[in-house]
Each structure stands twice: as C-alpha cells, then as structure tokens.
Amino acid sequence: MLLLLLLQVSASCLWLGHGEVVTSFESSCPQFFFRETPPNEALEPESPAWICQRYNNQYYFATLYDRNRRIPVYSAYLYQPGPGKRPKTWLVEPQLMGPIYPKTMEREYTLLNHFSVSLEQLSKSQAILQDYKNLTGLNRGHLNPSSHHSNPNSRTATFTLTNIVPQDEKLNGGAWNNYEQQTMIRSTKGCNTTYVIVGAVPGNNYIARGRVNKPSHIWSSACCEVDTNHRKAWAVIAENDKNKVQLLTLGELEDVLTHLYGRDQVSLFDSSCPRE
C-alpha cells in the first residue's frame, strides 16, 4: 500500500504543471476559449474545480465543476463534428479526490480495483454511476456532446460524469438534440473556428438523495471566427422541464444568466465577440 502511494506521488510530480484539476484555465488549457479568455467569475460556485479534461494524455475540453452540487457549471470546447460511434463507457475524474491520483479520466472500476480507492471516497468528490441509475423522466445530459467531436478519443473524453447533468429526457432527446445536431450545423456555415461554451444553471431540486443538483436551465453559446476580421455569435437557453429551446443573441444570454445567478454581469467570451 505504501509503495503504491509513493508511486502515485512520483507520477504526480512527473506531471507537475500539466495536471487535470488546475488553478486556472488561462495557464493550463486556454485553447478552448476564444482569444484564450474564459467566462468571468460571475458563474463560479462556492467550491469550484477547474478541470482540463485529459484523456490518453491529451486535453480535449475544459470544465468548471461545482464540487458541492456535483454538476458542471459549464464545459468549453471547439466544435469539430464528424462521423463516429457513440461511446458506451463512463469515466470519472480521479484528481477531484486529490493530486496524488491519476491526472487522466478513468473508469470507476479501474480506481476501485487498481488504486485502492473506495466508492465512498470517490463519491465525496463527484457524482458516480450509482447517482444516475433509476432516473425517472431524466437523462444523463451532456454539456459537451460527443457528436461535436470527430475522433474516438475526443468522443470518449466527453463521457465523463463531470460533463453531464440530470436533464429532462424529452428536452434532451427533442428540442435540445435538434439544436445540437441541426441548428449548430446551419449556424456554423462559413466558420473557420467555432468556440462553444455550454452550461447549466443550478436549480432547487436534487437526485440521488440530495447528492446531485438538477439544473433549472441548460444553455449554450458560441463564438465563430469567419476570418481574422469577422466573427459571429449566437446562444440558446432552455428550461429543464420543458421541451423548448429559446434562440438568443450572446448579449441576451449573458443578461439572462446575470438575472438567474443574481450576481455580477456575466461575460462568456472576449469582448470582441459580437453581443448583438
């Protein structure tokens, strides 16, 4: 046991500065944000975790995670859709338990059987598979969907429990799916690079005996670079108990989120991304 712990600490030291749970996105994985500018602090929860989502030693997107509510605040990624199979294996983030654990997402089974981690220990740091079993009227709703990625590794990376929320099943399979699969294709025509941030507003209800928050709203925003001098943006929001998506400007979404959070003015992208 002591030897295993020493090996884990040694591995952690070798990757120092490249960890998955980081102190800021600007210094660790800024490439997922337009002009390397993450959203401002207006969305930050009381107990945040900044995760550069690593799979097979490569970063694929960034997630701000709410440790207390056990849901992501938002996930940020580059829109690069392509054909491929939907992954089936769900992963978790070992580093949420502490820096001695692997800095790449792993299966629950791997942690429990090869790193002497107990399910209770894992469940204190994040949502686990058991939390999402026997859902009624809800799905495991991705913020960053696998279909917006073009290769097997990037698709698999989206299947971490830190990238999903309890989402209304009709919304997830209906209007929200239409936005992800159809509206995004139309909206990104002519775009060279599209930066996307998808988030969830915490609600008053929970699943899994109060462990995992059910968001009141799901939202998505995008900033697209047409060329070096031209950009366009769009956004949507949906109440998490209705099968309806509302199309907004980026500025309108930021104002709605500012009202819902009741804090400072929300800013999702660098100021050069159009708000109108």
Side-chain angles (χ1 to χ4, degrees):
M1 178 63 185
L2 179 60
L3 178 60
L4 177 62
L5 183 61
L6 289 173
L7 288 172
Q8 290 171 352
V9 172
S10 175
S12 176
C13 291
L14 288 173
W15 284 103
L16 191 63
H18 301 279
E20 184 164 87
V21 175
V22 299
T23 56
S24 78
F25 291 136
E26 291 95 334
S27 61
S28 300
C29 53
Q31 64 269 31
F32 302 114
F33 302 93
F34 175 62
R35 294 198 169 174
E36 301 189 346
T37 304
N40 66 351
E41 297 178 356
L43 298 179
E44 287 183 14
E46 290 184 5
S47 183
W50 291 267
I51 306 173
C52 292
Q53 300 279 16
R54 181 198 286 270
Y55 181 70
N56 279 352
N57 293 325
Q58 183 173 340
Y59 292 142
Y60 287 104
F61 63 105
T63 298
L64 177 61
Y65 191 70
D66 187 334
R67 293 176 180 268
N68 292 339
R69 296 183 178 95
R70 297 184 177 88
I71 58 170
V73 177
Y74 62 74
S75 286
Y77 61 95
L78 299 179
Y79 177 72
Q80 297 171 324
K85 294 182 179 180
R86 178 181 171 89
K88 296 180 180 180
T89 301
W90 288 95
L91 304 166
V92 292
E93 305 296 343
Q95 281 249 302
L96 287 174
M97 294 184 292
I100 68 169
Y101 294 100
K103 300 176 187 296
T104 183
M105 55 185 74
E106 299 282 356
R107 292 187 303 157
E108 278 187 16
Y109 177 88
T110 302
L111 292 176
L112 299 181
N113 290 275
H114 298 287
F115 288 89
S116 301
V117 172
S118 69
L119 194 59
E120 180 183 5
Q121 182 183 3
L122 180 63
S123 68
K124 287 181 180 178
S125 67
Q126 59 200 282
I128 59 175
L129 288 170
Q130 183 64 39
D131 294 328
Y132 281 91
K133 287 186 177 179
N134 303 317
L135 294 178
T136 301
L138 297 169
N139 287 157
R140 303 176 193 184
H142 283 73
L143 295 192
N144 176 4
S146 65
S147 61
H148 285 187
H149 299 270
S150 59
N151 66 71
N153 279 347
S154 59
R155 285 173 174 260
T156 298
T158 67
F159 269 65
T160 166
L161 296 184
T162 56
N163 180 47
I164 66 168
V165 297
Q167 186 174 15
D168 181 89
E169 63 179 359
K170 292 182 180 179
L171 173 63
N172 190 33
W176 193 261
N177 183 67
N178 290 340
Y179 172 72
E180 289 180 337
Q181 307 306 327
Q182 299 176 24
T183 306
M184 280 293 289
I185 292 175
R186 293 194 300 268
S187 299
T188 54
K189 285 185 177 179
C191 296
N192 283 324
T193 306
T194 302
Y195 297 85
V196 183
I197 302 176
V198 185
V201 180
N204 296 321
N205 298 311
Y206 285 76
I207 66 167
R209 297 180 179 179
R211 282 180 39 81
V212 178
N213 185 265
K214 177 192 171 187
S216 63
H217 297 75
I218 314 293
W219 55 269
S220 180
S221 57
C223 184
C224 135
E225 289 184 303
V226 178
D227 54 43
T228 54
N229 297 316
H230 298 89
R231 290 165 291 279
K232 62 180 180 177
W234 61 90
V236 294
I237 194 167
E239 294 181 58
N240 196 22
D241 58 0
K242 298 176 182 176
N243 185 21
K244 183 180 179 181
V245 169
Q246 182 181 5
L247 184 62
L248 304 171
T249 65
L250 175 58
E252 287 172 339
L253 175 63
E254 290 176 333
D255 288 343
V256 170
L257 293 178
T258 300
H259 173 74
L260 290 172
Y261 276 85
R263 302 187 212 156
D264 296 334
Q265 175 66 39
V266 170
S267 176
L268 298 175
F269 290 97
D270 178 85
S271 60
S272 59
C273 195
R275 263 54 186 181
E276 298 300 324

